[in-house]
Amino acid sequence: MATNIGMMDSAYFVGRNEILGWINDRLHLNLSRIEEVASGAVQCQMLDMTFPGVVPMHKVNFAAKNEYEMIQNYKVMQEVFTKLKITKPLEVNRLVKGRPLDNLEFLQWLKRFCDSINGGIMNENYNPVERRSRGGKEKSIKGSSKVSKSLQTNNTHHTPTVTASSKPTGPKQARSHAIGGGSNSSAEVQALSKELEDLKVSVDVLEKERDFYFSKLRDIEILCQTPELDDLPIVVAVKKILYATDANESALEEAQECLIESLGTEVEEEEGNEEEDEAGTQT
């Protein structure tokens, strides 16, 4: 089982839309944001689908909103991890905060892990809706409740015109039009907010990738600064690349020439020593 996955594994390059589609398809949900899984209930059910009977679903609270309620779900998850001998650390304090990047990373790992079990083939006999209603503390989940709210909103927008018996006045009619316009503005604000959140997630991923490569370069620099290695040809060549001030290929070419020249000198010295040894042997 793929319990430990490096940060440069392809699993961590799976996008949020693919992750949400995977969850919604498997569990028959309608989640639209990564933050909606912060309670840990969705992750518990994913494990329940992958390992039937291992997760005590009656302990999973799908309506958890407060952190102390969410923590109980993660305790259930930790128990399952222990049973399955999964060594992946659960950073509960970060996950319950609902930050998109933290939860996205965990879901990326979870998808890779679940896909590694039985080749990622879905259990056709598993009924996620029935399992939630029988095992969980609540029959509904946050994503489902949002769907019902959106339906109510649509019904409100299509409410029939008020009859004459209600005697609407001109100002009231104008007010209703204003409310309608406000709804459209609200929808635009929500769309822009969602787009902004997506951009933040993308920026966070790029920053993390940048920091990862920078730390690797810093480790290489520290290694090259070791006194015992400082004069080695390969170290000198690497330093030329690390400390180059321009962005063209001249640094790489210069490093290669330096390395080839150093190696050539060493070969010549070795050949000279061999000739001297042979001459000494003949005399």
Side-chain angles (χ1 to χ4, degrees), residues 63-265:
K65 294 181 180 179
N66 299 313
E67 287 191 10
Y68 70 88
E69 294 174 319
M70 298 178 183
I71 289 174
Q72 295 303 316
N73 288 338
Y74 283 102
K75 285 184 178 179
V76 173
M77 197 184 309
Q78 184 60 67
E79 292 175 359
V80 174
F81 275 27
T82 303
K83 289 180 183 178
L84 299 174
K85 298 181 179 179
I86 298 174
T87 58
K88 169 74 173 177
L90 279 177
E91 298 180 345
V92 179
N93 292 332
R94 298 177 63 179
L95 294 171
V96 296
K97 299 297 182 184
R99 288 192 288 260
L101 182 59
D102 294 330
N103 283 275
L104 177 61
E105 286 182 358
F106 186 76
L107 289 173
Q108 288 169 332
W109 171 87
L110 182 63
K111 183 179 186 303
R112 176 60 179 272
F113 174 73
C114 292
D115 288 346
S116 68
I117 307 300
N118 298 326
I121 299 175
M122 184 176 177
N123 185 357
E124 296 180 356
N125 297 323
Y126 187 87
N127 188 328
V129 178
E130 182 180 359
R131 185 70 173 135
R132 283 196 295 273
S133 63
R134 288 185 178 183
K137 294 183 179 180
E138 294 290 339
K139 293 184 179 181
S140 61
I141 194 168
K142 190 175 180 181
S144 302
S145 63
K146 288 200 169 191
V147 176
S148 62
K149 287 182 180 179
S150 64
L151 291 175
Q152 290 176 2
T153 305
N154 291 334
N155 291 336
T156 303
H157 289 168
H158 291 85
T159 303
T161 307
V162 180
T163 58
S165 59
S166 62
K167 297 180 181 180
T169 59
K172 288 185 178 179
Q173 290 179 344
R175 184 178 178 183
S176 65
H177 286 299
I179 293 174
S183 300
N184 293 333
S185 300
S186 177
E188 292 178 1
V189 170
Q190 290 179 356
L192 290 173
S193 298
K194 187 175 181 298
E195 184 178 354
L196 180 60
E197 289 176 358
D198 293 342
L199 290 173
K200 285 181 179 179
V201 172
S202 299
V203 170
D204 288 341
V205 172
L206 290 174
E207 288 181 348
K208 188 158 189 176
E209 185 176 356
R210 177 204 62 192
D211 293 342
F212 174 83
Y213 285 114
F214 179 81
S215 65
K216 294 296 181 185
L217 289 173
R218 178 56 182 156
D219 291 342
I220 293 172
E221 182 183 29
I222 293 173
L223 180 64
C224 289
Q225 291 173 349
T226 304
E228 294 81 3
L229 307 176
D230 194 54
D231 295 329
L232 291 178
I234 186 64
V235 174
V236 174
V238 170
K239 282 183 178 180
K240 287 185 177 293
I241 296 175
L242 284 177
Y243 300 137
T245 56
D246 54 359
N248 55 35
E249 297 181 357
S250 61
L252 176 60
E253 293 175 355
E254 185 179 351
Q256 289 174 333
E257 290 176 359
C258 177
L259 185 59
I260 292 172
E261 182 179 351
S262 299
L263 293 175
T265 302

Side-chain angles (χ1 to χ4, degrees), residues 274-283:
E274 289 177 357
E275 290 177 356
E276 290 178 359
D277 293 340
E278 289 178 358
T281 302
Q282 291 175 356
T283 58

